[in-house]
Amino acid sequence: MFTPNSIPYQQQPGFQRTYRQGRLSLGLFFPLEAFTGDTPSMLDQVSLAQNAEKLGFSALWFRDVPLRDPSFGDSGQVFDPWVYLGFMAAHTHSIALGTASVILPIRNPLHTAKAATSVDQLSGGRLLLGVASGDRPVEFPAFGVDPEQRGSLFREYLKVFREVQLSSFVPITWSGGTLEGADLIPKPTTAEIPFFVTGHSRQTLEWIARYSHGWISYPRPPKSQQVVVENWRTAVRDECGELFKPFSQSLYLDLTDNPQTPPRPIHLGYQLGRHRLIALLHILQEIGVNHVIINLKYGQRPAGEVVEEIGEFVLPDFAMSA
């Protein structure tokens, strides 16, 4: 863990559990609960996460929300993502652990790299790193960052983050510091931690296709999402040839008791029954979506029931071994 290695990131256990070309897998956002307002209870999260792993969900995803802003309406899983990742890594065994997403411009890139490689090593190569430039206005002045510079800082900090994983004792200079005569340890379990740009993060699609290992986008009606996925595939082919770079999306879900309930739009998702959910996910798989991250915030039922139902009746249609 102290020197760079040459194992491709595609062989990382978290990546292999979550992504396969032509297949769709399912993950869950923390907190695993439905709640009103902006702050969840955070109760029973370990047992729910362990059951999700047992049922065969591919990944658990952690938000990066350092400050409570009631006007934004969502405080994520409340706890610091790196601390919570370490905690959940110790309570699970094989499920991938993802960030959606770490805000790069408000952190020193060496701190980000140290935390990420530590989680990756301690979890046995299960970290999937979603990264973003940030969109909460209150955060930038609080951390002394010019919001107009976040796009360029995102590129610069991501470059540092990658270089310190791939090299050892190589001098690196960026706008915020110089690394010389020292090395960042640990190194990740593969050559680098798989990372995924969220939204555009103030970058062009071509830049994301060239430099990232995949893209996390937002939910849209299937016909609209198909256009986005096709544009992504075209950009990846133009920049990287036939290299597989997965497409992920979030989805807010209110799963009803009635399996046949037709879809009704809610904020960034749907209220629907499980049969209609299966049909929707098959459509998303057909248009090229590789991973759907389910958010239960707006649900009407206990999260445990919903996770159990999806695990029993929905996941078998999307088993990664198929």
Side-chain angles (χ1 to χ4, degrees), residues 4-319:
N5 68 62
S6 59
I7 300 172
Y9 70 85
Q10 295 94 334
Q11 294 181 24
Q12 189 223 47
F15 188 94
Q16 291 191 328
R17 181 176 174 117
T18 307
Y19 294 113
R20 187 172 304 168
Q21 194 162 6
R23 300 292 302 176
L24 180 144
S25 65
L26 295 178
L28 293 166
F29 264 119
F30 282 108
L32 305 178
E33 64 177 284
F35 60 99
T36 57
D38 69 319
T39 52
S41 71
M42 298 304 298
L43 298 175
D44 303 320
Q45 298 297 287
V46 168
S47 60
L48 288 166
Q50 290 172 334
N51 195 39
E53 178 177 60
K54 179 180 177 181
L55 290 166
F57 284 86
S58 292
L60 299 169
W61 294 86
F62 301 71
R63 304 279 295 282
D64 181 12
V65 186
L67 303 170
R68 182 185 181 189
D69 178 3
S71 67
F72 217 88
D74 189 353
S75 297
Q77 77 277 329
V78 179
F79 300 115
D80 176 87
W82 299 117
V83 174
Y84 207 45
L85 275 160
F87 178 77
M88 283 297 174
H91 286 86
T92 54
H93 302 285
S94 58
I95 196 166
L97 305 170
T99 62
S101 290
V102 168
I103 309 305
L104 293 186
I106 64 173
R107 287 181 168 82
N108 185 297
L110 296 183
H111 284 144
T112 300
K114 182 75 171 185
T117 56
S118 296
V119 170
D120 185 64
Q121 280 286 348
L122 291 168
S123 67
R126 293 190 279 144
L127 180 63
L128 305 173
L129 192 72
V131 292
S133 61
D135 61 0
R136 301 193 178 208
V138 71
E139 293 175 352
F140 299 104
F143 290 97
V145 175
D146 180 356
E148 295 305 314
Q149 298 299 314
R150 65 187 186 270
S152 59
L153 288 174
F154 177 86
R155 293 191 301 274
E156 183 183 24
Y157 288 5
L158 185 60
K159 186 172 185 289
V160 175
F161 171 79
R162 298 188 73 184
E163 287 181 355
V164 296
Q165 295 178 78
L166 294 162
S167 65
S168 187
F169 290 99
V170 174
I172 302 171
T173 298
W174 66 101
S175 62
T178 297
L179 175 65
E180 188 171 3
D183 192 24
L184 179 114
I185 56 171
K187 303 300 182 186
T189 58
T190 49
E192 57 180 324
I193 295 167
F195 73 93
F196 310 86
V197 174
T198 300
H200 280 84
S201 292
R202 298 205 157 193
Q203 313 305 319
T204 66
L205 186 61
E206 291 73 22
W207 187 95
I208 299 169
R210 179 182 299 177
Y211 293 108
S212 77
H213 299 142
W215 194 24
I216 301 174
S217 193
Y218 303 101
R220 300 174 182 86
K223 287 186 178 180
S224 299
Q225 195 72 304
Q226 182 174 7
V227 174
V228 175
V229 174
E230 288 174 353
N231 289 340
W232 168 246
R233 300 295 179 210
T234 298
V236 171
R237 281 195 299 272
D238 290 346
E239 299 294 331
C240 305
E242 296 305 312
L243 184 63
F244 170 55
K245 294 194 174 186
F247 182 96
S248 304
Q249 69 158 79
S250 57
L251 183 69
Y252 282 81
L253 183 64
D254 178 12
L255 193 71
T256 64
D257 287 317
N258 182 354
Q260 298 290 356
T261 301
R264 180 182 72 82
I266 60 174
H267 179 64
L268 297 176
Y270 298 97
Q271 179 190 74
L272 76 179
R274 71 166 181 264
H275 291 331
R276 302 305 182 94
L277 174 61
I278 292 171
L280 171 64
L281 293 174
H282 274 295
I283 292 172
L284 294 178
Q285 180 171 258
E286 288 168 7
I287 67 174
V289 176
N290 301 113
H291 185 64
V292 171
I293 313 170
I294 294 171
N295 193 318
L296 302 176
K297 173 175 169 54
Y298 299 120
Q300 304 300 308
R301 298 167 58 195
E305 289 183 11
V306 174
V307 169
E308 193 75 35
E309 183 172 340
I310 294 174
E312 182 178 356
F313 297 103
V314 180
L315 279 177
D317 274 35
F318 303 97

